Every structure is written in C-alpha cells, then in structure tokens.
Amino acid sequence: MTAAPQRPDVYYGGQAVIEGVMIRAPRHMAVAVRHPSGEIVRHSEELTGFTTGRLRQIPLVRGAVVLWETLSLGLRAINYSSRIALDEPAEDDGEAAGAAPLQDEDEPFTDAAMWFSMAIGIIFAIAIFFVGPVLLANFLESQGIARAGVVAIEAAVRLVLFVAYIALIGLMPDIRRVFQYHGAEHMTIHAYEASRPLQVADVRRFPKEHTRCGTSFLVVVIMIALAAFLAFDLLVDQGIVVRILSRVVLLPPIAGVSYEVLRFGARYESNALVRAMFTPNIALQALTTRVPEDDQIEVAIAAFETAVESAAED
C-alpha cells in the first residue's frame, strides 16, 4: 500500500516497542506488534489531554510536553506490546487474545505498576545522569578547579554515562531486536517523508538513522544543558543542594529549546551546514538502531499506515 498524500505540516514520530513499533499521529497513537503466530496485531486510540492541546503548539513549551509524552505513551505502548508478544490473553469479555487495549479499566494494578515503574525509572535516571555528575563536579570544585571547567567535566561525564549505558544494553539480544525495530521505524518515516510507497523494498532504501530521533533529542538536550548549567553556575553562587535542584528545574526549559533545535534540523536537513551540525546525533544512532529484517519493516509499515489512517480522520 502506498502512503496517503503527504502532509508536510505534520511530523510523525514514534519508537520501537517489544516486537513492534509505535507511531504518534497528531491526535492518535498507533501500535503494531508481531504476534507469536506471525500475525501483525494493530491498535489505534485517540489521545486526549494536554498532549493534544494548545500547549503542544507553543514553541519552547511543546518540548517539555513532548518529553513527558514520550515517557508516558512509550511506557503504555511497551506494556501493550509485551502482552501481544508474550501472547497474554486479555481479561475483558469479548476481547480476543493478543488484542488487549492499551488502557484496561478492569486492570488497575497494571496501570499502577506501570506508573510505579516510570517513577522508579525517572528517579534512577535523575540519580545517575544528573545527581551523580553534580556530586563529582562539586568535589572537583572543592579541589580548586575553575567553575567553568567543572561544568564542562560534568557535561562530559553525563554524556559518557549516557553513551556507555546505550552501548551496554545494546549487547542484550532482546534489546538488539528492539533497536532493529527502531531502525525500521526511521526507515518507514523517511520513505513517507520522501513520498515513496510504503513497501518493504522501497523502505529498505532509506537510512536507519533519522534527524528527529529521540536519541538526537537527548544529545541536543545534553549540549544545551552544558550552556544552561554553565550560565547558571557562573551567575549564581550556589551550594550543592541548589546545584542539584537547578539541574532538575532547568530540564523542562532545556527540553523546550532542544525540541525547537531538533525541528529546525529536520526542516533544513538538506542543508550541508545543518547536516554537519547534526553529525554527532546521527553517529550516536549507530548504537540505538540496527538494520531491520523484512518482517520487522512490515510491522513498522503497518504501524505507520494505521497512524496515517487515523490522522486522515482528524
């Protein structure tokens, strides 16, 4: 099937899930997962709340909204895909096995466990990627190293930790398959944006890296955070507590600026200078994407077609 007529004002994004792909349309989320039987199970649901409201249209604000949305919708999609991939039967009356909805009012424990897992993950990420480097920076400053140098070292440590984490989890076979679906998602979006037919042979011609990838977003966040934290530390004479809190409080505005930078890069990615600026982002995706198999591309196409069909109804 070929893609619907392209809407250049709409940016589709998504992420890999367990044996599948999630695609975010303007007001819908679509998920396609490969069931153990070989069938591709599709699901689409309308999104509500602030993720589709006016906040998502406001420059510098929408970045923080997208960051939260990425966490919440991503976790929901992963929870759903795991049930399909593991062939867990749905408990709703009349719901076929392997076709459980993303939200199930009869399973409050599942939702509670999901949000608990997200909270633990966020706390862990803050502790490792924010508090840890700050504690190191505070120690280095106590040894007489200039504050500007300390902030630069803090940013470098944060980047090294992030890259090391991605590289290590990429060694796990199950995660490598997720990274293959990640590559399939990017290739499918590339094909759509180039107005090419959404067929495996056509999709495979495109690169597995994409400028708007979430990995690129995180790299831009780290780079902009370096400038923001440096300016804060030079202007404010703070102690360790204020320094730690500043790293957390400044994250939403940093995410807002980073998202605008990413959109700029996507809009002008044909420009040689812009491509050069985003070279590190693309290079890092060598760790987070793998060349997909044909059946994985088929799943990505199914997710994207479902998302486009949903968007056409908006």
PDB file of all heavy atoms in Angstrom, residues 66-87:
ATOM      1  N   VAL A  66       6.419  17.173  24.902  1.00  0.00           N
ATOM      2  CA  VAL A  66       6.841  16.004  24.126  1.00  0.00           C
ATOM      3  C   VAL A  66       7.701  15.070  24.975  1.00  0.00           C
ATOM      4  O   VAL A  66       7.596  13.849  24.878  1.00  0.00           O
ATOM      5  CB  VAL A  66       7.604  16.449  22.854  1.00  0.00           C
ATOM      6  CG1 VAL A  66       8.277  15.261  22.185  1.00  0.00           C
ATOM      7  CG2 VAL A  66       6.645  17.128  21.884  1.00  0.00           C
ATOM      8  N   LEU A  67       8.546  15.639  25.823  1.00  0.00           N
ATOM      9  CA  LEU A  67       9.395  14.822  26.683  1.00  0.00           C
ATOM     10  C   LEU A  67       8.547  13.963  27.613  1.00  0.00           C
ATOM     11  O   LEU A  67       8.784  12.759  27.761  1.00  0.00           O
ATOM     12  CB  LEU A  67      10.337  15.712  27.497  1.00  0.00           C
ATOM     13  CG  LEU A  67      11.323  14.980  28.421  1.00  0.00           C
ATOM     14  CD1 LEU A  67      12.236  14.062  27.619  1.00  0.00           C
ATOM     15  CD2 LEU A  67      12.148  15.994  29.218  1.00  0.00           C
ATOM     16  N   TRP A  68       7.557  14.571  28.252  1.00  0.00           N
ATOM     17  CA  TRP A  68       6.668  13.816  29.131  1.00  0.00           C
ATOM     18  C   TRP A  68       5.841  12.812  28.343  1.00  0.00           C
ATOM     19  O   TRP A  68       5.645  11.674  28.767  1.00  0.00           O
ATOM     20  CB  TRP A  68       5.752  14.758  29.903  1.00  0.00           C
ATOM     21  CG  TRP A  68       4.686  14.034  30.658  1.00  0.00           C
ATOM     22  CD1 TRP A  68       3.359  13.956  30.358  1.00  0.00           C
ATOM     23  CD2 TRP A  68       4.872  13.239  31.831  1.00  0.00           C
ATOM     24  NE1 TRP A  68       2.698  13.184  31.284  1.00  0.00           N
ATOM     25  CE2 TRP A  68       3.603  12.728  32.195  1.00  0.00           C
ATOM     26  CE3 TRP A  68       5.983  12.921  32.618  1.00  0.00           C
ATOM     27  CZ2 TRP A  68       3.429  11.910  33.304  1.00  0.00           C
ATOM     28  CZ3 TRP A  68       5.791  12.104  33.728  1.00  0.00           C
ATOM     29  CH2 TRP A  68       4.533  11.614  34.058  1.00  0.00           C
ATOM     30  N   GLU A  69       5.363  13.243  27.186  1.00  0.00           N
ATOM     31  CA  GLU A  69       4.559  12.363  26.346  1.00  0.00           C
ATOM     32  C   GLU A  69       5.356  11.146  25.911  1.00  0.00           C
ATOM     33  O   GLU A  69       4.844  10.014  25.882  1.00  0.00           O
ATOM     34  CB  GLU A  69       4.082  13.145  25.121  1.00  0.00           C
ATOM     35  CG  GLU A  69       3.292  12.318  24.124  1.00  0.00           C
ATOM     36  CD  GLU A  69       3.039  13.101  22.852  1.00  0.00           C
ATOM     37  OE1 GLU A  69       2.099  13.907  22.829  1.00  0.00           O
ATOM     38  OE2 GLU A  69       3.805  12.908  21.888  1.00  0.00           O
ATOM     39  N   THR A  70       6.635  11.358  25.580  1.00  0.00           N
ATOM     40  CA  THR A  70       7.487  10.255  25.169  1.00  0.00           C
ATOM     41  C   THR A  70       7.586   9.205  26.265  1.00  0.00           C
ATOM     42  O   THR A  70       7.538   7.996  26.004  1.00  0.00           O
ATOM     43  CB  THR A  70       8.894  10.770  24.807  1.00  0.00           C
ATOM     44  OG1 THR A  70       8.785  11.695  23.716  1.00  0.00           O
ATOM     45  CG2 THR A  70       9.808   9.627  24.399  1.00  0.00           C
ATOM     46  N   LEU A  71       7.707   9.661  27.494  1.00  0.00           N
ATOM     47  CA  LEU A  71       7.801   8.733  28.617  1.00  0.00           C
ATOM     48  C   LEU A  71       6.479   7.999  28.850  1.00  0.00           C
ATOM     49  O   LEU A  71       6.453   6.767  28.961  1.00  0.00           O
ATOM     50  CB  LEU A  71       8.202   9.494  29.886  1.00  0.00           C
ATOM     51  CG  LEU A  71       9.609  10.097  29.909  1.00  0.00           C
ATOM     52  CD1 LEU A  71       9.780  10.964  31.152  1.00  0.00           C
ATOM     53  CD2 LEU A  71      10.663   8.996  29.885  1.00  0.00           C
ATOM     54  N   SER A  72       5.392   8.749  28.920  1.00  0.00           N
ATOM     55  CA  SER A  72       4.105   8.147  29.286  1.00  0.00           C
ATOM     56  C   SER A  72       3.540   7.264  28.178  1.00  0.00           C
ATOM     57  O   SER A  72       3.165   6.106  28.414  1.00  0.00           O
ATOM     58  CB  SER A  72       3.104   9.235  29.665  1.00  0.00           C
ATOM     59  OG  SER A  72       2.900  10.140  28.590  1.00  0.00           O
ATOM     60  N   LEU A  73       3.481   7.798  26.940  1.00  0.00           N
ATOM     61  CA  LEU A  73       2.946   6.995  25.848  1.00  0.00           C
ATOM     62  C   LEU A  73       3.862   5.826  25.525  1.00  0.00           C
ATOM     63  O   LEU A  73       3.395   4.726  25.203  1.00  0.00           O
ATOM     64  CB  LEU A  73       2.748   7.859  24.595  1.00  0.00           C
ATOM     65  CG  LEU A  73       1.735   8.997  24.691  1.00  0.00           C
ATOM     66  CD1 LEU A  73       1.525   9.627  23.325  1.00  0.00           C
ATOM     67  CD2 LEU A  73       0.420   8.529  25.280  1.00  0.00           C
ATOM     68  N   GLY A  74       5.153   6.056  25.619  1.00  0.00           N
ATOM     69  CA  GLY A  74       6.104   4.987  25.335  1.00  0.00           C
ATOM     70  C   GLY A  74       5.947   3.825  26.289  1.00  0.00           C
ATOM     71  O   GLY A  74       5.956   2.650  25.873  1.00  0.00           O
ATOM     72  N   LEU A  75       5.783   4.120  27.559  1.00  0.00           N
ATOM     73  CA  LEU A  75       5.626   3.051  28.542  1.00  0.00           C
ATOM     74  C   LEU A  75       4.324   2.302  28.335  1.00  0.00           C
ATOM     75  O   LEU A  75       4.266   1.071  28.456  1.00  0.00           O
ATOM     76  CB  LEU A  75       5.700   3.632  29.954  1.00  0.00           C
ATOM     77  CG  LEU A  75       5.816   2.607  31.088  1.00  0.00           C
ATOM     78  CD1 LEU A  75       7.052   1.747  30.905  1.00  0.00           C
ATOM     79  CD2 LEU A  75       5.859   3.307  32.437  1.00  0.00           C
ATOM     80  N   ARG A  76       3.270   3.020  28.006  1.00  0.00           N
ATOM     81  CA  ARG A  76       1.992   2.364  27.727  1.00  0.00           C
ATOM     82  C   ARG A  76       2.100   1.445  26.517  1.00  0.00           C
ATOM     83  O   ARG A  76       1.571   0.320  26.527  1.00  0.00           O
ATOM     84  CB  ARG A  76       0.911   3.410  27.498  1.00  0.00           C
ATOM     85  CG  ARG A  76       0.439   4.096  28.762  1.00  0.00           C
ATOM     86  CD  ARG A  76      -0.476   5.262  28.435  1.00  0.00           C
ATOM     87  NE  ARG A  76      -1.601   4.866  27.614  1.00  0.00           N
ATOM     88  CZ  ARG A  76      -2.310   5.704  26.872  1.00  0.00           C
ATOM     89  NH1 ARG A  76      -1.980   6.980  26.823  1.00  0.00           N
ATOM     90  NH2 ARG A  76      -3.341   5.277  26.182  1.00  0.00           N
ATOM     91  N   ALA A  77       2.770   1.928  25.470  1.00  0.00           N
ATOM     92  CA  ALA A  77       2.908   1.118  24.257  1.00  0.00           C
ATOM     93  C   ALA A  77       3.760  -0.121  24.520  1.00  0.00           C
ATOM     94  O   ALA A  77       3.483  -1.205  24.004  1.00  0.00           O
ATOM     95  CB  ALA A  77       3.522   1.959  23.138  1.00  0.00           C
ATOM     96  N   ILE A  78       4.797   0.028  25.332  1.00  0.00           N
ATOM     97  CA  ILE A  78       5.644  -1.118  25.674  1.00  0.00           C
ATOM     98  C   ILE A  78       4.852  -2.133  26.494  1.00  0.00           C
ATOM     99  O   ILE A  78       4.965  -3.347  26.285  1.00  0.00           O
ATOM    100  CB  ILE A  78       6.902  -0.642  26.433  1.00  0.00           C
ATOM    101  CG1 ILE A  78       7.835   0.108  25.476  1.00  0.00           C
ATOM    102  CG2 ILE A  78       7.630  -1.822  27.067  1.00  0.00           C
ATOM    103  CD1 ILE A  78       9.019   0.755  26.161  1.00  0.00           C
ATOM    104  N   ASN A  79       4.049  -1.643  27.409  1.00  0.00           N
ATOM    105  CA  ASN A  79       3.222  -2.531  28.220  1.00  0.00           C
ATOM    106  C   ASN A  79       2.260  -3.331  27.335  1.00  0.00           C
ATOM    107  O   ASN A  79       2.090  -4.545  27.497  1.00  0.00           O
ATOM    108  CB  ASN A  79       2.449  -1.703  29.246  1.00  0.00           C
ATOM    109  CG  ASN A  79       1.556  -2.559  30.132  1.00  0.00           C
ATOM    110  OD1 ASN A  79       1.989  -3.546  30.710  1.00  0.00           O
ATOM    111  ND2 ASN A  79       0.289  -2.176  30.243  1.00  0.00           N
ATOM    112  N   TYR A  80       1.656  -2.633  26.370  1.00  0.00           N
ATOM    113  CA  TYR A  80       0.739  -3.297  25.438  1.00  0.00           C
ATOM    114  C   TYR A  80       1.473  -4.306  24.566  1.00  0.00           C
ATOM    115  O   TYR A  80       1.039  -5.451  24.403  1.00  0.00           O
ATOM    116  CB  TYR A  80       0.064  -2.241  24.568  1.00  0.00           C
ATOM    117  CG  TYR A  80      -0.719  -2.797  23.408  1.00  0.00           C
ATOM    118  CD1 TYR A  80      -1.976  -3.371  23.599  1.00  0.00           C
ATOM    119  CD2 TYR A  80      -0.211  -2.751  22.117  1.00  0.00           C
ATOM    120  CE1 TYR A  80      -2.702  -3.885  22.526  1.00  0.00           C
ATOM    121  CE2 TYR A  80      -0.928  -3.249  21.047  1.00  0.00           C
ATOM    122  CZ  TYR A  80      -2.164  -3.816  21.253  1.00  0.00           C
ATOM    123  OH  TYR A  80      -2.872  -4.323  20.191  1.00  0.00           O
ATOM    124  N   SER A  81       2.614  -3.896  24.006  1.00  0.00           N
ATOM    125  CA  SER A  81       3.343  -4.771  23.091  1.00  0.00           C
ATOM    126  C   SER A  81       3.848  -6.027  23.791  1.00  0.00           C
ATOM    127  O   SER A  81       3.901  -7.102  23.176  1.00  0.00           O
ATOM    128  CB  SER A  81       4.513  -4.016  22.454  1.00  0.00           C
ATOM    129  OG  SER A  81       5.504  -3.679  23.413  1.00  0.00           O
ATOM    130  N   SER A  82       4.217  -5.901  25.058  1.00  0.00           N
ATOM    131  CA  SER A  82       4.698  -7.076  25.783  1.00  0.00           C
ATOM    132  C   SER A  82       3.591  -8.113  25.923  1.00  0.00           C
ATOM    133  O   SER A  82       3.837  -9.318  25.851  1.00  0.00           O
ATOM    134  CB  SER A  82       5.238  -6.667  27.157  1.00  0.00           C
ATOM    135  OG  SER A  82       4.195  -6.210  27.996  1.00  0.00           O
ATOM    136  N   ARG A  83       2.352  -7.645  26.106  1.00  0.00           N
ATOM    137  CA  ARG A  83       1.225  -8.566  26.239  1.00  0.00           C
ATOM    138  C   ARG A  83       0.949  -9.285  24.919  1.00  0.00           C
ATOM    139  O   ARG A  83       0.609 -10.474  24.905  1.00  0.00           O
ATOM    140  CB  ARG A  83      -0.010  -7.809  26.711  1.00  0.00           C
ATOM    141  CG  ARG A  83       0.137  -7.252  28.119  1.00  0.00           C
ATOM    142  CD  ARG A  83      -0.972  -6.274  28.461  1.00  0.00           C
ATOM    143  NE  ARG A  83      -2.277  -6.916  28.430  1.00  0.00           N
ATOM    144  CZ  ARG A  83      -3.412  -6.247  28.598  1.00  0.00           C
ATOM    145  NH1 ARG A  83      -3.402  -4.938  28.787  1.00  0.00           N
ATOM    146  NH2 ARG A  83      -4.562  -6.886  28.581  1.00  0.00           N
ATOM    147  N   ILE A  84       1.107  -8.578  23.805  1.00  0.00           N
ATOM    148  CA  ILE A  84       0.900  -9.195  22.492  1.00  0.00           C
ATOM    149  C   ILE A  84       2.035 -10.164  22.183  1.00  0.00           C
ATOM    150  O   ILE A  84       1.815 -11.307  21.785  1.00  0.00           O
ATOM    151  CB  ILE A  84       0.817  -8.131  21.391  1.00  0.00           C
ATOM    152  CG1 ILE A  84      -0.330  -7.158  21.667  1.00  0.00           C
ATOM    153  CG2 ILE A  84       0.646  -8.798  20.021  1.00  0.00           C
ATOM    154  CD1 ILE A  84      -1.681  -7.802  21.731  1.00  0.00           C
ATOM    155  N   ALA A  85       3.267  -9.714  22.367  1.00  0.00           N
ATOM    156  CA  ALA A  85       4.436 -10.529  22.013  1.00  0.00           C
ATOM    157  C   ALA A  85       4.527 -11.787  22.859  1.00  0.00           C
ATOM    158  O   ALA A  85       5.024 -12.823  22.403  1.00  0.00           O
ATOM    159  CB  ALA A  85       5.712  -9.701  22.163  1.00  0.00           C
ATOM    160  N   LEU A  86       4.045 -11.701  24.116  1.00  0.00           N
ATOM    161  CA  LEU A  86       4.073 -12.866  25.002  1.00  0.00           C
ATOM    162  C   LEU A  86       2.778 -13.651  24.960  1.00  0.00           C
ATOM    163  O   LEU A  86       2.613 -14.617  25.711  1.00  0.00           O
ATOM    164  CB  LEU A  86       4.367 -12.417  26.434  1.00  0.00           C
ATOM    165  CG  LEU A  86       5.736 -11.752  26.653  1.00  0.00           C
ATOM    166  CD1 LEU A  86       5.869 -11.261  28.089  1.00  0.00           C
ATOM    167  CD2 LEU A  86       6.863 -12.728  26.307  1.00  0.00           C
ATOM    168  N   ASP A  87       1.832 -13.194  24.095  1.00  0.00           N
ATOM    169  CA  ASP A  87       0.550 -13.873  23.905  1.00  0.00           C
ATOM    170  C   ASP A  87      -0.217 -13.997  25.209  1.00  0.00           C
ATOM    171  O   ASP A  87      -0.766 -15.054  25.535  1.00  0.00           O
ATOM    172  CB  ASP A  87       0.766 -15.269  23.304  1.00  0.00           C
ATOM    173  CG  ASP A  87      -0.548 -15.867  22.766  1.00  0.00           C
ATOM    174  OD1 ASP A  87      -1.473 -15.081  22.492  1.00  0.00           O
ATOM    175  OD2 ASP A  87      -0.623 -17.092  22.638  1.00  0.00           O
TER     176      ASP A  87
END
